[in-house]
Amino acid sequence: EPEVTQTPSHQVTQMGQEVILRCVPISNHLYFYWYRQILGQKVEFLVSFYNNEISEKSEIFDDQFSVERPDGSNFTLKIRSTKLEDSAMYFCASSYNNPRLAGWSSYNEQFFGPGTRLTVL
Amino acid sequence: AQKVTQAQTEISVVEKEDVTLDCVYETRDTTYYLFWYKQPPSGELVFLIRRNSFDEQNEISGRYSWNFQKSTSSFNFTITASQVVDSAVYFCALSEAAKGYQKVTFGTGTKLQVIP
């Protein structure tokens, strides 16, 4: 069964360093997402990405964050200068949605990856 | 704006007891989806169920059952005859369907501890 994969599973970095979290979405999926979960808290939406553009981003997703689909398979989240409060679990997700449809008929399952635990020291 | 409330922060039950996890949601959309996810200590999100707003039929899957009531905006989750392996954090979540993609809004989670 196809699945979303994420690497690394755990990343430790020093404050101020740049990190890139990598995700390989399911191959025929068109929409990609990043979510963040600070330890002990809820999972929060960061950004959605379609057709090489950000379709929506939350207020958490400030200028320190960027996303990219550098090739046909990877989807990355970059944090330019990490802060202590960036320590969290980061989940990637992907879905296949027909962009010409809206409403319930367009729904397709959003599959989550296993997450990358980022620790900023 | 959409919102999901899970008022129960932590619940402890003794093995074999039944337990219900509450979920109340808010949305302005008439078309939306509701979910439950399980997050074991290992951290991954395990999908349990999805319901769309047009389908209020309750669902049972083994020891799990879900009660969806639009009138009270609730989507509660019951585990029958709980087991130690059910110990985890459970998240209720909501996604509006008006857009062509699904941004999922999660509740704050309920930590369930099943005591042997």
Side-chain angles (χ1 to χ4, degrees):
Chain A
E1 185 176 322
E3 58 183 17
V4 176
T5 59
Q6 291 185 242
T7 55
S9 56
H10 191 188
Q11 172 99 39
V12 181
T13 190
Q14 295 290 325
M15 190 170 57
Q17 295 294 305
E18 174 184 287
V19 294
I20 298 176
L21 309 183
R22 301 181 192 281
C23 168
V24 179
I26 294 172
S27 62
N28 65 338
H29 284 188
L30 303 177
Y31 276 94
F32 314 110
Y33 314 80
W34 283 102
Y35 292 80
R36 180 183 82 175
Q37 184 185 28
I38 295 172
L39 185 65
Q41 298 186 23
K42 67 177 178 181
V43 180
E44 299 174 289
F45 169 79
L46 287 178
V47 66
S48 61
F49 190 85
Y50 168 73
N51 199 24
N52 284 318
E53 287 184 345
I54 290 174
S55 33
E56 186 174 349
K57 61 182 181 180
S58 72
E59 58 190 24
I60 303 170
F61 194 88
D62 61 23
D63 292 343
Q64 291 294 316
F65 292 92
S66 62
V67 289
E68 191 178 29
R69 189 154 160 80
D71 52 43
S73 59
N74 288 285
F75 178 53
T76 62
L77 174 69
K78 182 193 289 187
I79 309 174
R80 287 190 183 80
S81 178
T82 50
K83 309 184 196 69
L84 295 176
E85 54 265 36
D86 293 326
S87 294
M89 180 79 98
Y90 289 81
F91 292 101
C92 173
S94 71
S95 62
Y96 177 81
N97 297 66
N98 186 332
R100 290 191 287 271
L101 295 178
W104 77 280
S105 61
S106 73
Y107 186 86
N108 282 275
E109 192 71 54
Q110 189 169 137
F111 291 84
F112 283 85
T116 292
R117 184 169 298 282
L118 175 65
T119 301
V120 182
L121 302 176
Chain B
Q2 51 191 29
K3 184 179 177 183
V4 177
T5 301
Q6 294 180 257
Q8 303 152 310
T9 307
E10 289 192 43
I11 300 177
S12 289
V13 298
V14 177
E15 200 172 19
K16 297 183 184 175
E17 286 184 348
D18 299 348
V19 58
T20 295
L21 310 183
D22 298 333
C23 173
V24 174
Y25 62 91
E26 294 175 33
T27 177
R28 292 181 180 174
D29 268 20
T30 56
T31 305
Y32 51 89
Y33 300 90
L34 296 163
F35 311 83
W36 276 95
Y37 287 88
K38 175 182 180 180
Q39 187 175 45
S42 50
E44 73 272 23
L45 290 170
V46 178
F47 169 80
L48 296 177
I49 191 172
R50 178 186 79 240
R51 304 297 286 178
N52 75 55
S53 52
F54 296 105
D55 184 2
E56 284 191 74
Q57 199 169 14
N58 291 333
E59 182 157 338
I60 298 174
S61 176
R63 295 184 297 108
Y64 296 169
S65 62
W66 291 269
N67 184 326
F68 175 27
Q69 293 195 349
K70 279 177 86 168
S71 60
T72 55
S73 298
S74 65
F75 186 44
N76 297 336
F77 173 32
T78 297
I79 302 174
T80 303
S82 58
Q83 299 176 1
V84 173
V85 294
D86 296 327
S87 296
V89 180
Y90 291 86
F91 291 96
C92 181
L94 166 72
S95 177
E96 293 167 342
K99 303 171 184 173
Y101 62 92
Q102 280 79 38
K103 178 182 89 173
V104 182
T105 297
F106 287 81
T108 49
T110 297
K111 183 176 182 180
L112 174 65
Q113 184 177 15
V114 180
I115 303 164

